[in-house]
Amino acid sequence: AQKITQTQPGMFVQEKEAVTLDCTYDTSDQSYGLFWYKQPSSGEMIFLIYQGSYDEQNATEGRYSLNFQKARKSANLVISASQLGDSAMYFCAMRGRAGNNRKLIWGLGTSLAVNP
Amino acid sequence: NAGVTQTPKFQVLKTGQSMTLQCAQDMNHNSMYWYRQDPGMGLRLIYYSASEGTTDKGEVPNGYNVSRLNKREFSLRLESAAPSQTSVYFCASLQDALAKNIQYFGAGTRLSVL
């Protein structure tokens, strides 16, 4: 069965430092996609970054990068130069298997607090 | 750029009342979704619609019905609300023209059932 695990319920980081949010996944599929979303206190879900299983390079979007280690089945989100506005919940998700690949499998999230 | 629009933003119901949550997207997406989010339980899929005219159950469909009225609109109905349905509800649509399959979310509806 497919599963996403986020083992850090809460994280703290000092402003301007980098932080890594962990995500491990379980799937038997060869082709899959991994996503990170941000949910600030205002409640909306914001797409951050995507990594395909066949992508050779780690995905990057501005200050966000995805540390993709396929053999270890991990897809950690790295936020560089943290800002106060990065304080939020962060969710890792995986695209469902072929034939049902319009569904996402979600982790339970990590709450990040950026300290000034 | 409206994206995914949900109404209402907030709602309080009494046990047994019915209501419909509305969702519309203007991105020409085929697939649409309804999730609920509860503390400590992440996002759980209630129903989804892969295309106009089709709907399928997700993880937690009991107590809900959906209608895919047209390509733009996907509504969620609670026929007889229960306190266990107190939650935040999100509608999403999927950019499935690309392999990435990115889901875009509405702002959410906070529902309290007393």
Side-chain angles (χ1 to χ4, degrees), chain B residues 11-61:
Chain B
Q11 184 71 49
V12 178
L13 293 177
K14 293 181 180 178
T15 297
Q17 285 186 317
S18 62
M19 78 159 296
T20 299
L21 281 64
Q22 306 286 355
C23 176
Q25 52 91 10
D26 62 1
M27 296 176 282
N28 202 36
H29 290 170
N30 286 321
S31 301
M32 297 184 73
Y33 305 80
W34 277 106
Y35 291 95
R36 60 179 289 173
Q37 184 179 31
D38 302 291
M41 303 195 74
L43 283 165
R44 292 185 292 170
L45 183 64
I46 304 171
Y47 271 95
Y48 69 103
S49 169
S51 61
E52 185 180 350
T54 67
T55 61
D56 286 285
K57 295 178 180 179
E59 298 173 67
V60 288

Side-chain angles (χ1 to χ4, degrees), chain A residues 7-65:
Chain A
T7 58
Q8 306 154 312
M11 290 280 287
F12 294 91
V13 66
Q14 285 298 121
E15 192 178 9
K16 300 180 185 176
E17 292 186 350
V19 63
T20 298
L21 306 183
D22 293 343
C23 173
T24 58
Y25 61 91
D26 188 17
T27 183
S28 57
D29 288 347
Q30 297 301 309
S31 175
Y32 50 89
L34 296 152
F35 305 77
W36 278 92
Y37 283 80
K38 173 184 179 181
Q39 186 178 39
S41 58
S42 52
E44 69 269 32
M45 294 289 287
I46 303 166
F47 166 73
L48 293 179
I49 197 167
Y50 167 85
Q51 179 83 43
S53 58
Y54 291 121
D55 294 342
E56 294 184 355
Q57 305 253 351
N58 285 344
T60 61
E61 292 284 349
R63 293 186 298 110
Y64 304 109
S65 60

Side-chain angles (χ1 to χ4, degrees), chain A residues 66-96:
Chain A
L66 203 151
N67 183 1
F68 181 47
Q69 298 188 42
K70 196 169 181 177
R72 299 179 63 180
K73 293 189 175 178
S74 73
N76 298 339
L77 178 70
V78 180
I79 305 174
S80 63
S82 297
Q83 301 172 357
L84 296 179
D86 293 334
S87 294
M89 282 290 291
Y90 289 82
F91 291 94
C92 181
M94 177 170 61
R95 187 176 66 228

